[in-house]
Amino acid sequence: MPTQSVEAAPDTRDAALPGFAVAAIREEGRWRCVRLDPVALVDLDAAITALRAQRSTGAVLGLLDVDDEFFVLLRPSPGGVRMLISDAVAALDYDVAADVLDLLRVELPPDDDALDDPWPEGDLGIVSDFGLPADELEILVEDLELYPDEQLDTIARRCGFAAELDELVNS
């Protein structure tokens, strides 16, 4: 009797996703952007480690456009990491989103109807010191007509590094 070999399904957790991972670094009043390894789109620890590795005397802001579905802003500080995810419901489908919610100590509601509409979770004041107040960021994040890359472009424009971000992402 012939035997069938059973192959395990490929592990896609570390597979690259569409989108981009960028560190925006502000030093002496000027911004520069550097591309992060694409693994940052699937591994929150890798993203945070890469941001902390950016040697800077100024602010470092991570921008993750994950699979053109949602974005994550990360801002390392000596006491931890400030975070904002544009769509908490993405945690149902993406490990990196679930990891953000875990670090924020936020659980998704058990009611499936509550998961029909996306909502932001985290620190809406994450870039307020760069010129984008929390209430305006909330309006931007809740605009379902915009794709995540468009939202990140608007954030970059308001904070003053849109040209640097565009040059890096479109190169």
Side-chain angles (χ1 to χ4, degrees):
M1 173 186 243
T3 61
Q4 283 185 317
S5 68
V6 178
E7 288 186 35
D11 185 356
T12 59
R13 286 178 293 181
D14 291 332
L17 289 174
F20 60 83
V22 171
I25 303 155
R26 183 173 171 93
E27 292 181 309
E28 298 177 12
R30 298 180 54 111
W31 287 98
R32 65 183 170 90
C33 290
V34 297
R35 189 176 307 274
L36 299 177
D37 190 301
V39 75
L41 297 174
V42 295
D43 185 343
L44 185 62
D45 289 335
I48 292 169
T49 300
L51 291 170
R52 289 193 185 282
Q54 302 299 318
R55 300 292 177 213
S56 172
T57 57
V60 176
L61 179 66
L63 300 95
L64 309 178
D65 172 5
V66 182
D67 201 17
D68 296 323
E69 292 292 327
F70 65 97
F71 72 81
V72 177
L73 295 179
L74 302 165
R75 191 165 173 189
S77 65
V81 179
R82 296 170 66 187
M83 294 178 274
L84 173 68
I85 185 167
S86 63
D87 178 6
V89 179
L92 295 172
D93 298 315
Y94 295 90
D95 289 342
V96 69
D99 291 343
V100 169
L101 292 187
D102 283 346
L103 280 178
L104 291 171
R105 292 181 160 77
V106 171
E107 292 186 23
L108 292 174
D111 179 15
D112 286 344
D113 291 337
L115 302 175
D116 288 343
D117 296 318
W119 74 89
E121 196 65 63
D123 185 355
L124 287 165
I126 192 168
V127 290
S128 61
D129 56 329
F130 299 137
L132 184 55
D135 57 342
E136 292 180 31
L137 180 57
E138 183 176 18
I139 291 168
L140 174 64
V141 171
E142 291 177 348
D143 186 347
L144 300 179
E145 297 292 316
L146 297 175
Y147 287 102
D149 64 325
E150 296 170 318
Q151 292 170 315
L152 289 172
D153 184 60
T154 301
I155 291 167
R157 190 171 2 91
R158 288 293 307 275
C159 294
F161 60 90
E164 292 83 355
L165 179 64
D166 288 342
E167 181 180 330
L168 183 68
V169 171
N170 295 319
S171 63

